[in-house]
Amino acid sequence: MTSMSRARVARRIAAGAAYGGGGIGLAGAAAVGLLLAEAHMARRHVNGIGEHPRVPHADGRYGRTYDAPGTPAAEPLRLVLLGDSTAAGQGVHRSGQTPGALLASGLAAVAERPVDLRNVALPGAQSDDLDRQVALVLGSFDQVPDVCVIMIGANDVTHRMPPTRSVRHLSAAVRRLRTAGTEVVVGTCPDLGTIEPVPQPLRWLARRASRQLAAAQTIGVIEQGGRTVSLGDLLGPEFEANPRELFGPDHYHPSAEGYATAAMAVLPTVCAALGLWPAEEERPDVSRREGFLPVAQAAAEAASEAGTEVTAAMPTGPRGPWALLKRRRRRRVPEPQRAPAAPSP
């Protein structure tokens, strides 16, 4: 599917989500029986080998160097992760390998301030669980988080949730968080076409569906004042080229190296959302093919390239709202160092 075709589909899905339209099919009805049979086989294969349902607990304070006696007192930044198993860090064994810990450690290093991390993501969650997760976040903090990172969408595709419904739930979550005063960064639906146990033609259809959803998610998030980072091709060329390194033992969830790759892609956008990135990096770099585009076109391009950021730019333009598409340089995250005590709510 071309970028322009994906942009048109993404616009339709986002419009349906905004105005209460029905589901838009991402696969022909004739393929449903085959898809269900192959999906069942793939899920059984994934669930049968090496999956560890327990997720390491990573909540706590990071960047303890900046919270040590003798250093200037700095109010900790508050970071919260929401979403599904990818946000939770399923597939790794140590808390420091989870995306939350990696992002908290990287954010602390950039800000030179401690970071309090809380993760409310739920393995297996679909976008309709975000309402519960957002209520948990906004109802249990004395202060709203400085930034929330959401990773969601893969289970919506595998469980055939209508994409309009999926985007509607995500948009509502972003709107509630932004209204409360927190910055929001969304890692859009990963490319499911690279999961090893999934055979063809399901793999091709999964790739198509996940990229369409990622583009539509981007439009919905931008409309509510959030930012997005494409995770699509992080489960594409890099994962496809190094599946033994970047996938975990179940060949479905990322390994520690895979989560580190994703964290390196998301961290610059988290820092930029908090005003911590160098000002010169905020200007579009033509040499990296950055620039201003209609939102739907930017969303479609981002869905095809890992680590691509989309943020709102102009509310109106020749073809409606415009966005800034950025291909930020990835920053390697330091080894997480967590203080022994978790932050109090």
Side-chain angles (χ1 to χ4, degrees), residues 45-289:
H45 181 80
V46 166
N47 290 339
I49 52 171
E51 187 168 6
H52 301 276
R54 177 187 163 276
V55 176
H57 181 78
D59 289 12
R61 179 162 294 180
Y62 293 78
R64 56 190 175 191
T65 301
Y66 309 108
D67 199 25
T71 60
E75 181 71 16
L77 290 168
R78 295 172 295 276
L79 167 67
V80 176
L81 263 72
L82 306 88
D84 55 23
S85 57
T86 304
Q90 186 170 349
V92 295
H93 301 283
R94 300 198 305 272
S95 61
Q97 298 171 326
T98 62
L102 293 165
L103 286 172
S105 181
L107 179 57
V110 173
E112 297 186 346
R113 289 170 60 181
V115 174
D116 285 345
L117 169 69
R118 186 174 181 193
N119 197 322
V120 299
L122 179 68
Q126 300 175 51
S127 291
D128 55 6
D129 190 56
L130 288 175
D131 182 64
R132 180 193 65 83
Q133 294 183 28
V134 170
L136 192 61
V137 171
L138 297 181
S140 58
F141 275 105
D142 292 333
Q143 296 175 291
V144 298
D146 294 289
V147 60
C148 289
V149 175
I150 303 174
M151 298 180 182
I152 199 79
N155 295 316
D156 297 6
V157 174
T158 60
H159 290 79
R160 299 187 301 141
M161 176 183 286
T164 50
R165 182 181 167 205
S166 175
V167 173
R168 189 178 303 129
H169 284 296
L170 176 59
S171 297
V174 175
R175 181 170 60 251
R176 289 177 63 193
L177 291 168
R178 292 292 292 132
T179 299
T182 181
E183 298 291 339
V184 180
V185 175
V186 175
T188 55
C189 182
D191 183 348
L192 300 179
T194 57
I195 299 172
E196 283 194 319
V198 178
Q200 296 288 11
L202 180 60
R203 182 180 293 200
W204 179 84
L205 289 166
R207 167 167 288 165
R208 182 185 178 199
S210 53
R211 289 189 176 186
Q212 286 180 357
L213 179 57
Q217 286 178 320
T218 296
I219 296 175
V221 170
I222 297 305
E223 288 176 346
Q224 301 304 326
R227 301 179 185 226
T228 64
V229 179
S230 169
L231 299 184
D233 278 353
L234 290 176
L235 298 182
E238 294 182 39
F239 276 68
E240 206 163 27
N242 304 289
R244 301 301 176 190
E245 295 177 16
L246 295 176
F247 280 114
D250 60 7
H251 306 298
Y252 184 87
H253 294 98
S255 66
E257 291 81 3
Y259 280 127
T261 301
M264 282 192 292
V266 174
L267 178 61
T269 302
V270 170
C271 294
L274 294 171
L276 299 171
W277 216 237
E280 59 271 17
E281 281 286 319
E282 296 308 298
R283 292 190 291 270
D285 186 338
V286 178
S287 68
R288 296 207 298 266
R289 295 177 293 114

